[in-house]
């Protein structure tokens, strides 16, 4: 069944990508982890704002689409907790631009770096982390770059990654590519990712699905979590 984000390409282009993918489907593991990428005030703005209004305050904001995704994010996180699937959050790292350069080139220009502004890294109450859940401040787009994420996943013997958050074209895609490069089957949750542009969101879902990940729905994830054996996710014992 064709999905809405596949229709941004014409028939010939879809056929070219289909040849590349050749029906490949990634294995869904028994010990997944859920990565919630950069769902913070700097990228969401405030509920009820237009995109234009949100970007007047937060140049990086995605506006209404962030709040449309929020119930899906909340459902996904609740399900993960209920089935013992670890939840990992990422935020920007305030001051990282001074040390390492901007996450995007705009931070070195007139936009500056909103990552250090008061409240920028606040995660909405609807999906707020619980005590004991890992929150990683990252200096660049990928959740893997210069963070201890890989060590954490290895310690929990994670065998697959479920990725949601924002932006689809930026930090989500960078994380997906790195996760796949490290050998993890990666799954992107369609309704729980978002971007400023619907076109950019669609193109990136399509291309990740063709190359680096399987794009699946919240319902798919719920069923997967019900089936996988995640009763205990204690760290592995190293002797």
């Amino acid at each position: 069944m064709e999905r809405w984000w596949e229709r941004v390409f014409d028939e010939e282009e879809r056929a070219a990508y289909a040849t590349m993918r050749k029906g490949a489907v990634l294995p869904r593991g028994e010990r997944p982890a859920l990565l919630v990428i950069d769902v913070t005030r700097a990228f969401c703005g405030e509920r009820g704002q237009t995109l234009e209004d949100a970007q007047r305050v937060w140049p990086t904001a995605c506006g209404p689409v962030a709040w449309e995704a929020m119930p899906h994010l909340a459902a996904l996180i609740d399900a993960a907790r209920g089935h013992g699937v670890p939840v990992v959050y990422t935020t920007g790292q305030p001051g990282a631009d001074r040390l390492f350069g901007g996450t995007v080139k705009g931070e070195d220009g007139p936009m500056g770096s909103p990552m250090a502004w008061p409240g920028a890294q606040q995660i909405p109450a609807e999906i707020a982390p619980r005590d004991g859940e890992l929150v990683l401040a990252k200096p660049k787009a990928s959740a893997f770059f210069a963070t201890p994420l890989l060590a954490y996943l290895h310690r929990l013997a994670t065998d697959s990654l479920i990725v949601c958050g924002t932006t689809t074209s930026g930090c989500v895609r960078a994380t997906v590519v790195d996760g796949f490069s490290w050998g993890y089957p990666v799954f992107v949750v369609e309704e729980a990712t978002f971007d400023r542009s619907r076109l950019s969101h669609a193109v990136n879902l399509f291309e990740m699905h063709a190359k680096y990940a399987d794009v699946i729905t919240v319902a798919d994830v719920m069923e997967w979590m019900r089936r996988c054996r995640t009763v205990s996710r204690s760290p592995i014992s190293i002797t």
Side-chain angles (χ1 to χ4, degrees):
M1 178 179 175
E2 189 176 75
R3 290 181 275 185
W4 72 268
W5 40 267
E6 294 177 294
R7 294 194 290 273
V8 298
F9 292 87
D10 64 29
E11 186 175 346
E12 183 179 8
E13 291 166 338
R14 289 199 299 273
Y17 277 94
T19 300
M20 180 189 302
R21 186 172 172 89
K22 294 182 179 178
V25 177
L26 294 170
R28 300 184 186 186
E30 295 183 348
R31 298 175 70 88
L34 175 64
L35 308 184
V36 184
I37 306 299
D38 289 8
V39 185
T40 63
R41 194 175 183 189
F43 289 103
C44 296
E46 306 296 338
R47 185 184 293 276
Q49 290 180 318
T50 64
L51 177 59
E52 183 178 6
D53 288 343
Q55 290 194 326
R56 284 197 189 101
V57 182
W58 301 101
T60 50
C62 295
V65 293
W67 299 98
E68 291 168 12
M70 204 65 66
H72 300 296
L73 286 157
L76 201 58
I77 292 165
D78 285 347
R81 289 167 177 161
H83 292 280
V85 173
V87 182
V88 179
Y89 294 80
T90 70
T91 69
Q93 182 177 318
D97 60 308
R98 295 193 304 274
L99 298 171
F100 313 114
T103 307
V104 295
K105 63 183 184 180
E107 289 182 49
D108 296 324
M111 180 181 77
S113 178
M115 296 301 104
W117 297 357
Q121 304 310 324
Q122 179 183 351
I123 296 171
E126 292 89 340
I127 61 163
R130 290 183 178 175
D131 290 343
E133 290 178 335
L134 181 62
V135 181
L136 293 172
K138 58 185 181 60
K140 295 290 184 176
S142 171
F144 288 90
F145 184 87
T147 76
L149 176 59
L150 197 61
Y152 180 78
L153 297 174
H154 176 71
R155 182 163 169 75
L156 292 179
T158 299
D159 62 7
S160 45
L161 303 177
I162 301 165
V163 181
C164 60
T166 195
T167 61
T168 319
S169 61
C171 297
V172 167
R173 182 162 179 159
T175 298
V176 165
V177 172
D178 276 0
F180 183 78
S181 298
W182 279 110
Y184 288 102
V186 184
F187 300 84
V188 179
V189 188
E190 178 180 322
E191 310 99 314
T193 53
F194 57 95
D195 209 317
R196 299 168 196 92
S197 160
R198 180 176 171 84
L199 175 60
S200 181
H201 179 53
V203 168
N204 280 278
L205 288 176
F206 188 101
E207 291 187 342
M208 285 189 288
H209 188 67
K211 301 174 183 179
Y212 310 113
D214 284 353
V215 175
I216 60 179
T217 66
V218 171
D220 291 331
V221 178
M222 300 290 195
E223 180 58 29
W224 175 10
M225 288 182 183
R226 281 193 289 268
R227 291 200 315 269
C228 68
R229 295 190 292 274
T230 53
V231 176
S232 174
R233 291 302 300 266
S234 301
I236 57 174
S237 176
I238 301 175
T239 57

